[in-house]
Amino acid sequence: MITLQHYSASHFVHVRPMFEVAWIPVLAGISGPLQQTDNMEVVELCLDGFKNAIRIVCFFDLELERNAFVTTLAKFTFLNNLGEMKAKNMEAIKALLDVAINEGNNLKGSWHEVCRVSVSWSTCN
């Protein structure tokens, strides 16, 4: 007979090693549906996933993961292809700016992507 034992994580430091293992499936799990749908309810859930993931990686100073999430979110802005921009891409711009406001200096080198999107947006108007 197999006995299963459950352990409860009771401190925030347990999140870092779990996220270091799970970040790639999390990124795939939120970027895939965002790319495939125009349903704004799904879009909002995916963008919330990006914002929360970026908050986690900034808190734990996970550079590779932070760059991956911020870069992927920035690509969903579609500022390089205005002809195909949709409402979800505008929401991605808002989400990226929200991340910039809330994470500030914790974005470190990922500010490059935020600035790139800001400059692209300003040249569109």
Side-chain angles (χ1 to χ4, degrees), residues 70-116:
V70 173
T71 300
T72 304
L73 179 57
K75 287 182 181 178
F76 277 112
T77 63
F78 261 48
L79 285 172
N80 59 339
N81 192 356
L82 295 176
E84 297 199 20
M85 186 176 267
K86 300 177 182 178
K88 69 179 179 182
N89 306 113
M90 290 298 299
E91 292 302 316
I93 295 169
K94 291 180 196 175
L96 187 62
L97 294 176
D98 187 45
V99 163
I101 290 167
N102 290 314
E103 297 309 321
N105 288 339
N106 293 329
L107 284 175
K108 297 184 178 180
S110 296
W111 266 104
H112 173 76
E113 287 298 322
V114 176
C115 292
R116 186 186 61 76

Side-chain angles (χ1 to χ4, degrees), residues 8-19 56 59-60 62:
S8 226
S10 58
H11 200 269
F12 74 92
V13 295
H14 298 112
V15 174
R16 181 186 178 118
M18 288 189 292
F19 205 78
I56 291 168
F59 181 82
F60 290 109
L62 302 172

